[in-house]
Amino acid sequence: MKYIVHLSRIFTGILFIISGFIKLNDPLGFSYKLEEYFGSDVLNLEFLIPYALGISVIVVVFEVVLGVFLLIGYKPKFTVWSLLLMIVFFTFLTFYSAYFDKVKDCGCFGDALKLTPWESFTKDVVLLVLTLILFFGVKHIKPLFSKLPMTVIALLSFIVSLWFGYHVLMHLPSIDFRAYAIDKNLPEEMAVPEDAQKPILEYTWIFNVNGEEQEFVTNGSYPSVDGEYVGVETKTIDEGYIPAIQDFSIESDDEDLTGYFLEQEKLMMVTMYNVTKGEAEGMAKLKSFTDEAINKGYTVIGLSSSGAADKAQAKAAYNFNFDIYLCDEKVVKTIVRANPGIIILNKGTVVNKAHWNDIEDIEL
């Protein structure tokens, strides 16, 4: 039992630190995932949505700290109880998400590793078993150091985690795992190869045959049935090839301009997922910076999911010298973790990006 507890302790501690650090690298992204869970169509806890970012930071810092506590053997009873409560909650959450097909990606490892809902649930079940081993074998969890070094390490893990979370919120994630990272080519990330695996769908056709409803399953072809058609249900067996970027577009009121802008050599996109929620200090910085970019030959555009009236109002209020085009809110949030943010492309390849706090660091 002693050796099983030690192995469980090492594996669980390391996994919690890795998982927590990846989310701590992008707490804003994890908060967007929490907003999905809090939505009316999932947990129906919409009153928590305004607090999603705060909850995100608390959860991921706690996750990293608990991993450190477990590895060094600091306050083992508190640590194991906390781990057990956390993993029970996450197991419920991932099961609910998987069973009811509510959230496609749990966000357990941020954008670094995408897990399907059932994969996430399986991972949590394994962690739950390991945590139960720790719970019943807590007497075998011994401190690695004396009291003072243990306290110092525990305190440092909390301070460093909190500082790192604050740092990436005020700038950008230190490691960018998304498809819009520097050196990524957006057209390539959006492309679907000719030989890509096609989605596999299952069709369940319902017919009324002699007064009784019967089901006929095909791969898409209309069944030859002597009866009255009632309806059809589709089920995805395999989603096939999914490009890294699926919903990116740049649209005016009249047309889709995505291809046109991705061919530009010096394109600066100002991302504002919602112009009415943009940081006032950041929005004010944009005027002089974008004017300078235009003078140096850049094509400057804005991307936002806001309505035409809000975009016109923001453009007038800050005297922007560029047009703001329509783009899906989730996509804009993914491109740059800031509102507003800057991303610079050369023929579709990302050459630079920045939080509004770091606009001055961009060399035009």
Side-chain angles (χ1 to χ4, degrees):
M1 182 65 181
K2 179 180 178 181
Y3 294 109
I4 294 174
V5 169
H6 285 335
L7 289 173
S8 300
R9 170 184 178 178
I10 293 170
F11 183 82
T12 306
I14 291 174
L15 190 62
F16 263 76
I17 291 172
I18 293 173
S19 172
F21 175 77
I22 290 173
K23 293 195 288 289
L24 190 59
N25 175 65
D26 186 12
L28 202 56
F30 185 54
S31 74
Y32 296 150
K33 185 59 62 177
L34 289 180
E35 289 178 7
E36 284 188 53
Y37 279 113
F38 295 152
S40 58
D41 58 337
V42 185
L43 296 178
N44 196 24
L45 298 172
E46 292 185 276
F47 68 93
L48 289 176
I49 290 178
Y51 311 105
L53 180 56
I55 295 171
S56 165
V57 173
I58 291 170
V59 168
V60 294
V61 168
F62 196 47
E63 191 172 351
V64 173
V65 168
L66 283 179
V68 174
F69 282 11
L70 184 61
L71 288 180
I72 66 174
Y74 183 74
K75 296 188 179 297
K77 288 185 179 180
F78 166 79
T79 301
V80 171
W81 266 105
S82 300
L83 287 171
L84 183 61
L85 292 174
M86 182 176 280
I87 199 62
V88 165
F89 173 72
F90 283 143
T91 303
F92 159 76
L93 205 60
T94 52
F95 171 76
Y96 182 89
S97 173
Y99 186 79
F100 293 102
D101 196 26
K102 294 292 186 179
V103 180
K104 298 298 182 182
D105 169 37
C106 72
C108 303
F109 293 97
D111 292 294
L113 177 63
K114 298 289 187 179
L115 297 179
T116 66
W118 283 115
E119 288 172 343
S120 302
F121 173 68
T122 303
K123 180 263 299 178
D124 285 339
V125 168
V126 172
L127 271 177
L128 180 59
V129 171
L130 294 173
T131 306
L132 287 172
I133 291 173
L134 296 172
F135 182 80
F136 290 110
V138 68
K139 66 181 180 180
H140 297 298
I141 302 177
K142 304 297 182 183
L144 294 183
F145 311 104
S146 60
K147 186 175 181 180
L148 181 58
M150 291 277 286
T151 304
V152 171
I153 294 172
L155 187 59
L156 278 176
S157 69
F158 174 74
I159 293 173
V160 170
S161 297
L162 205 58
W163 170 83
F164 183 67
Y166 175 78
H167 174 77
V168 295
L169 280 174
M170 292 298 101
H171 302 280
L172 288 181
S174 297
I175 306 172
D176 194 345
F177 294 105
R178 286 157 292 152
Y180 300 91
I182 292 175
D183 293 331
K184 295 282 189 179
N185 181 274
L186 303 196
E188 290 179 2
E189 298 295 314
M190 297 163 65
V192 178
E194 292 184 6
D195 58 348
Q197 182 180 342
K198 305 297 182 184
I200 300 174
L201 303 177
E202 180 181 272
Y203 292 77
T204 301
W205 305 84
I206 305 172
F207 286 83
N208 189 318
V209 181
N210 298 325
E212 179 183 352
E213 287 192 356
Q214 296 183 16
E215 295 182 352
F216 300 86
V217 179
T218 72
N219 61 356
S221 57
Y222 192 86
S224 299
V225 178
D226 186 14
E228 180 184 355
Y229 169 77
V230 176
V232 63
E233 296 178 359
T234 60
K235 179 181 178 182
T236 303
I237 305 300
D238 189 329
E239 292 184 340
Y241 178 84
I242 301 176
I245 296 177
Q246 302 173 60
D247 302 317
F248 176 77
S249 63
I250 305 171
E251 300 178 14
S252 67
D253 293 336
D254 305 313
E255 57 184 327
D256 187 327
L257 298 168
T258 310
Y260 168 77
F261 282 118
L262 290 184
E263 291 175 356
Q264 303 300 309
E265 291 189 357
K266 297 169 70 175
L267 175 68
M268 176 182 292
M269 298 192 299
V270 180
T271 59
M272 302 168 282
Y273 73 85
N274 187 321
V275 294
T276 63
K277 294 182 179 179
E279 297 280 353
E281 185 180 348
M283 298 290 278
K285 280 185 174 184
L286 292 176
K287 170 61 180 171
S288 59
F289 179 72
T290 53
D291 282 352
E292 181 188 356
I294 291 171
N295 290 335
K296 291 188 175 182
Y298 283 81
T299 299
V300 179
I301 62 173
L303 290 184
S304 179
S305 65
S306 298
D310 286 337
K311 288 189 288 189
Q313 185 177 354
K315 185 176 178 180
Y318 295 100
N319 195 26
F320 290 151
N321 195 22
F322 58 87
D323 292 324
I324 304 174
Y325 294 91
L326 180 65
C327 187
D328 178 76
E329 179 175 332
K330 188 174 181 179
V331 172
V332 179
K333 285 180 175 179
T334 304
I335 296 173
V336 183
R337 297 294 200 213
N339 191 30
I342 299 290
I343 181 168
I344 298 176
L345 292 87
N346 180 10
K347 291 189 174 182
T349 298
V350 180
V351 295
N352 209 342
K353 62 196 301 188
H355 190 285
W356 63 263
N357 267 325
D358 302 316
I359 282 179
E360 295 84 357
D361 296 337
I362 294 182
E363 295 184 11
L364 298 174

